[in-house]
């Protein structure tokens, strides 16, 4: 149907399943011209709009600017992406306040340990969905025009900007069935869940059938994704959440849901069959009672996303903080292994393009759905952060970055469609 539309207006645009490469075959097509112009990096002006911070602090440190230099491709394997949508994560709020500042600064520039150069201005935002506009000479998996999604490593400039540059190994083709707004809600939580469940929990598509998994705090971004992923892999999933999120997590496929506001959730869990894996996104005193819910001496694993590593390096310094965190992990791991034969592990967010390729297949197959709780325009980034800071998330908060370009293209498509209809009617009259 879409092909027939382009054929009627006299423009031959090629569409391919992996993305949206469009070959301009007729210079008179205003829609294609607009798409190509709006997707091109502003090389001549050299600057782009972005939300930045130039100091750590509360929401007041967020600043909008149109004077950030457009990122350039600096290696053969990099791609430049025009950002259409971004979603926020608790990590963005934490990084705004300085979380992980010392370790991330070292990762950005190993020589920074010897000097006091500032890491500012910083652009926050980890998730993105957008369109490739330029590629390095060694890029083999992408081409200009491809629709992609990605999770930006925390040591790189973030996605709350018009353009980002990433290596092709950090990028994946966006699921065909999702809009940019929907797609932007998934990459960070997908990479985090996969890293934790595969590397920490020892689970995968072929080893999860009938495994009993407990997810604490299952209504947020990571939890809502992990539920769907585990169910797609065949696991039995139990979730803890508050009363007003019960319907959401049940709808995503959770087998058993416990409302932690309705009574002692630990007592309820203790009456159940023990678990093979516990995926903890809450932290606090969870590990004190969770270890006893795992199957003893059977390779069961407790994986938490709430670790002291970055907090320790921030407060104690790089060396002391890393040593302290390492000793803490080793102590807990040995203690739990010797006492009950269960494994204690930390889970971390790890950007991974090929992993997102597998997630994209599950999304296109209808096995994983985006869960978007709120949307904001690019001018409302501070309000989006405020929404996220309130906690008790029911999915993801998304920021629309390129909505003006999208609206302009839609208007041009509508205009061209009307012109086409009039032309067809006129031709019919003449014949």
């Amino acid at each position: 149907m879409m092909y027939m539309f382009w054929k009627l207006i006299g423009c031959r645009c090629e569409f391919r399943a992996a993305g949206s490469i469009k070959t301009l075959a007729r210079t008179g097509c205003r829609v294609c011209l607009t798409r190509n112009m709006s997707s091109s990096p502003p090389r001549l002006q050299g600057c782009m709009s972005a939300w930045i911070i130039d100091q750590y602090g509360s929401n007041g440190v967020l600043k909008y600017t149109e004077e950030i230099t457009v990122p350039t491709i600096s290696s053969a394997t990099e791609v430049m992406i025009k950002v259409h949508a971004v979603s926020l994560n608790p990590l963005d709020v934490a990084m705004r306040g300085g979380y992980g500042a010392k370790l991330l600064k070292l990762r950005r520039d190993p020589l920074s340990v010897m000097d006091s150069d500032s890491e500012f201005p910083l652009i926050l935002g980890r998730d993105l969905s957008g369109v490739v506009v330029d590629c390095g000479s060694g890029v083999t998996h992408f081409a200009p025009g491809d629709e992609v999604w990605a999770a930006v490593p925390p040591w790189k400039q973030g996605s709350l900007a018009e353009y980002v540059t990433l290596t092709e190994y950090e990028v994946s083709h966006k699921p065909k069935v999702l809009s940019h707004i929907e797609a932007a809600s998934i990459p960070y939580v997908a990479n985090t869940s996969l890293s934790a469940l595969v590397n920490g929990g020892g689970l995968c598509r072929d080893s999860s059938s009938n495994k009993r998994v407990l997810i604490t705090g299952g209504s947020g971004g990571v939890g809502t994704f992990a539920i769907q992923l585990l169910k797609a892999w065949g696991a039995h999933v139990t979730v803890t959440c508050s009363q007003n999120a019960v319907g959401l997590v049940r709808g995503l496929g959770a087998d058993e849901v416990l409302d932690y506001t309705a009574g002692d959730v630990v007592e309820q869990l203790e009456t159940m069959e023990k678990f093979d894996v516990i995926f903890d996104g809450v932290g606090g005193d969870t590990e004190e009672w969770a270890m006893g819910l795992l199957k003893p001496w059977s390779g069961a694993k407790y994986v938490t996303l709430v670790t002291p590593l970055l907090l320790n390096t921030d407060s104690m310094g790089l060396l002391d903080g890393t040593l302290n965190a390492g000793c803490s992990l080793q102590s807990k791991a040995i203690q739990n292994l010797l006492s009950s034969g269960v494994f204690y592990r930390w889970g971390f967010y790890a950007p991974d393009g090929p992993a997102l390729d597998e997630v994209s297949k599950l999304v296109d197959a209808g096995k994983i759905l985006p869960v978007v709780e709120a949307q904001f325009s690019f001018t409302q980034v501070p309000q989006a952060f405020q929404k996220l800071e309130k906690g008790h998330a029911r999915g993801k908060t998304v920021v629309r970055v390129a909505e003006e370009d999208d609206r302009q293209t839609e208007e041009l498509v509508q205009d061209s469609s009307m012109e086409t209809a009039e032309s067809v009617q006129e031709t019919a009259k003449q014949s």
Side-chain angles (χ1 to χ4, degrees), residues 141-386:
H141 297 93
F142 303 96
D146 284 1
E147 292 188 333
V148 296
W149 61 349
V152 182
W155 55 86
K156 291 188 175 183
Q157 291 287 33
S159 54
L160 283 169
E162 286 186 271
Y163 297 90
V164 300
T165 300
L166 297 169
T167 70
E168 68 172 329
Y169 310 110
E170 295 162 341
V171 180
S172 168
H173 287 104
K174 179 181 76 67
K176 296 182 286 293
V177 300
L178 298 186
S179 67
H180 285 295
I181 290 173
E182 294 169 324
S185 69
I186 292 178
Y188 173 85
V189 297
N191 281 159
T192 301
S193 298
L194 282 165
S195 175
L197 292 172
V198 175
N199 299 328
L203 299 174
C204 66
R205 180 182 56 192
D206 300 323
S207 67
S208 300
S209 181
N210 298 318
K211 292 288 178 116
R212 290 181 53 79
V213 182
L214 168 65
I215 301 174
T216 63
S219 64
V222 172
T224 53
F225 177 85
I227 292 169
Q228 298 181 84
L229 178 67
L230 289 166
K231 290 308 299 177
W233 285 352
H236 180 282
V237 181
T238 300
V239 177
T240 66
C241 63
S242 62
Q243 188 275 331
N244 59 5
V246 170
L248 170 64
V249 297
R250 283 196 187 281
L252 294 174
D255 298 286
E256 298 179 85
V257 183
L258 301 181
D259 171 14
Y260 62 73
T261 66
D264 190 335
V265 71
V266 179
E267 288 186 1
Q268 299 178 62
L269 288 167
E270 288 175 342
T271 64
M272 297 181 174
E273 182 183 344
K274 292 189 181 295
F275 298 93
D276 297 288
V277 175
I278 294 179
F279 185 28
D280 178 21
V282 176
D285 65 349
T286 302
E287 66 182 65
E288 296 178 11
W289 51 261
M291 308 307 294
L293 301 175
L294 289 165
K295 296 177 180 178
W297 308 108
S298 61
K301 301 169 183 71
Y302 168 85
V303 185
T304 180
L305 297 177
V306 186
T307 76
L309 176 59
L310 295 184
L311 288 175
N312 283 4
T313 55
D314 289 336
S315 61
M316 302 178 188
L318 290 171
L319 182 58
D320 289 345
T322 302
L323 287 174
N324 184 279
C327 290
S328 173
L329 174 60
Q330 184 181 45
S331 174
K332 292 180 179 181
I334 292 175
Q335 178 184 349
N336 285 287
L337 187 60
L338 294 178
S339 64
S340 56
V342 301
F343 294 89
Y344 176 95
R345 293 175 176 172
W346 290 349
F348 293 98
Y349 154 53
D352 188 341
L356 288 178
D357 289 341
E358 296 304 312
V359 174
S360 184
K361 295 175 184 177
L362 291 174
V363 172
D364 281 334
K367 295 188 176 181
I368 291 180
L369 302 173
V371 184
V372 177
E373 181 183 18
Q375 295 182 36
F376 294 84
S377 69
F378 197 48
T379 61
Q380 297 175 308
V381 167
Q383 293 93 317
F385 270 81
Q386 288 177 339

Side-chain angles (χ1 to χ4, degrees), residues 11-253:
C11 174
R12 293 183 292 108
C13 290
E14 294 179 358
F15 293 84
R16 73 173 183 152
S20 59
I21 290 184
K22 304 172 180 69
T23 304
L24 186 61
R26 192 173 77 94
T27 57
C29 176
R30 293 185 296 127
V31 176
C32 284
L33 279 172
T34 301
R35 281 177 172 166
N36 278 269
M37 290 171 63
S38 66
S39 294
S40 299
R43 295 182 186 279
L44 296 178
Q45 65 188 46
C47 291
M48 66 177 181
S49 60
W51 283 89
I52 65 169
I53 60 172
D54 52 22
Q55 62 179 314
Y56 295 118
S58 59
N59 222 32
V61 302
L62 290 167
K63 294 182 179 180
Y64 175 79
T65 179
E66 295 181 352
E67 299 179 353
I68 291 294
T69 302
V70 174
T72 58
I73 291 178
S74 57
S75 78
T77 60
E78 286 186 335
V79 296
M80 185 177 181
I81 302 167
K82 178 177 174 59
V83 180
H84 282 241
V86 175
S87 73
L88 300 182
N89 298 280
L91 178 62
D92 295 306
V93 176
M95 288 180 64
R96 186 198 63 194
Y99 175 71
K102 292 183 178 179
L103 197 58
L104 293 176
K105 182 180 179 182
L106 179 66
R107 178 62 179 81
R108 293 184 193 104
D109 181 10
L111 297 180
S112 66
V113 71
M114 306 296 294
D115 56 47
S116 57
D117 288 349
S118 172
E119 63 267 41
F120 301 111
L122 284 181
I123 303 174
L124 301 176
R126 299 302 109 199
D127 283 310
L128 71 89
S129 181
V131 177
V132 174
V133 294
D134 203 0
C135 298
S137 60
V139 172
T140 58
H141 297 93
F142 303 96
D146 284 1
E147 292 188 333
V148 296
W149 61 349
V152 182
W155 55 86
K156 291 188 175 183
Q157 291 287 33
S159 54
L160 283 169
E162 286 186 271
Y163 297 90
V164 300
T165 300
L166 297 169
T167 70
E168 68 172 329
Y169 310 110
E170 295 162 341
V171 180
S172 168
H173 287 104
K174 179 181 76 67
K176 296 182 286 293
V177 300
L178 298 186
S179 67
H180 285 295
I181 290 173
E182 294 169 324
S185 69
I186 292 178
Y188 173 85
V189 297
N191 281 159
T192 301
S193 298
L194 282 165
S195 175
L197 292 172
V198 175
N199 299 328
L203 299 174
C204 66
R205 180 182 56 192
D206 300 323
S207 67
S208 300
S209 181
N210 298 318
K211 292 288 178 116
R212 290 181 53 79
V213 182
L214 168 65
I215 301 174
T216 63
S219 64
V222 172
T224 53
F225 177 85
I227 292 169
Q228 298 181 84
L229 178 67
L230 289 166
K231 290 308 299 177
W233 285 352
H236 180 282
V237 181
T238 300
V239 177
T240 66
C241 63
S242 62
Q243 188 275 331
N244 59 5
V246 170
L248 170 64
V249 297
R250 283 196 187 281
L252 294 174

